[in-house]
Amino acid sequence: MSNVYFTSDHHFGHELIIDFESRPFTNVQEMDKAMIEAWNSVVEDGDTVFHLGDFSFLGLEATRRIVSSLNGRKILILGNHDRGRRRSWWLEAGFDEVSEYPLIYKEFFMLSHEPMYMNKHMPYVNVHGHIHSQKYEGKNHFNICVEHWGYKPLSFAQIRDTVTGSEEG
């Protein structure tokens, strides 16, 4: 049975993100290798991963090598650092699908790079990235940035259970 996962803000090849976000790596090569291993430790080939933006700062060939080394079918929602490259560039890099806009998943989860305006009267949970180690309070936002989840993608079941569990409490 295949699973669906979510993640964001890997910033592959971005040396400065190590200091910006106090990532536990000594250099970008160590970071990239560890994040590939973390991804592949949970995602299998038949799974699908929604990457919610800011994937890579590397050139096409290096990005293609990383994408091809990651398990699963990969769907990218462009982040602010991805938008400088055309959608076709990311498809050529190996993503199976690329969206320039937020997506709605399972009629309840709004997937976006940047957090979207949400209030308690809206029928969605916004699964997002962009704000790295920060977090929004409340039940309408779920930050999927790698800093919160040990650099591993989080399964849909984990997100669903967290969101529904908090609504029951």
Side-chain angles (χ1 to χ4, degrees):
M1 185 168 130
S2 64
N3 292 305
V4 175
Y5 292 90
F6 301 86
T7 190
S8 77
D9 292 275
H10 281 79
H11 286 244
F12 283 108
H14 187 195
E15 187 85 43
L16 296 177
I17 198 70
I18 296 169
D19 288 332
F20 291 162
E21 291 299 324
S22 301
R23 289 185 175 185
F25 308 109
T26 56
N27 59 51
V28 75
Q29 293 79 15
E30 178 189 344
M31 177 181 75
D32 291 357
K33 182 177 185 283
M35 292 192 304
I36 292 167
E37 290 171 357
W39 177 303
N40 289 337
S41 74
V42 296
V43 178
E44 297 182 7
D45 281 334
D47 296 336
T48 297
V49 180
F50 286 88
H51 194 286
L52 305 188
D54 289 358
F55 183 79
S56 173
F57 281 56
L58 299 166
L60 182 60
E61 290 307 315
T63 300
R64 185 182 287 135
R65 280 192 298 275
I66 289 171
V67 173
S68 69
S69 71
L70 298 170
N71 293 340
R73 182 173 181 272
K74 294 162 278 296
I75 300 169
L76 177 64
I77 296 175
L78 296 179
N80 57 301
H81 292 293
D82 304 324
R83 292 186 188 117
R85 296 170 170 161
R86 295 182 178 273
R87 185 176 168 277
S88 60
W89 190 95
W90 292 103
L91 290 167
E92 191 176 338
F95 280 92
D96 297 288
E97 294 180 38
V98 178
S99 178
E100 299 176 49
Y101 307 103
L103 301 172
I104 295 177
Y105 183 75
K106 298 277 187 185
E107 300 177 357
F108 182 72
F109 296 89
M110 186 166 294
L111 311 178
S112 64
H113 177 64
E114 292 93 353
M116 301 182 73
Y117 171 76
M118 306 296 282
N119 68 45
K120 65 183 180 179
H121 304 292
M122 298 175 92
Y124 300 108
V125 170
N126 179 208
V127 180
H128 64 84
H130 186 63
I131 60 173
H132 292 272
S133 54
Q134 300 173 39
K135 255 193 170 168
Y136 282 165
E137 294 298 320
K139 300 174 184 173
N140 292 90
H141 288 92
F142 193 98
N143 185 349
I144 199 67
C145 289
V146 295
E147 287 87 3
H148 289 284
W149 309 108
Y151 303 91
K152 295 178 182 179
L154 207 61
S155 74
F156 173 68
Q158 290 171 292
I159 295 171
R160 181 200 61 219
D161 293 350
T162 300
V163 171
T164 57
S166 67
E167 291 196 0
E168 292 169 359

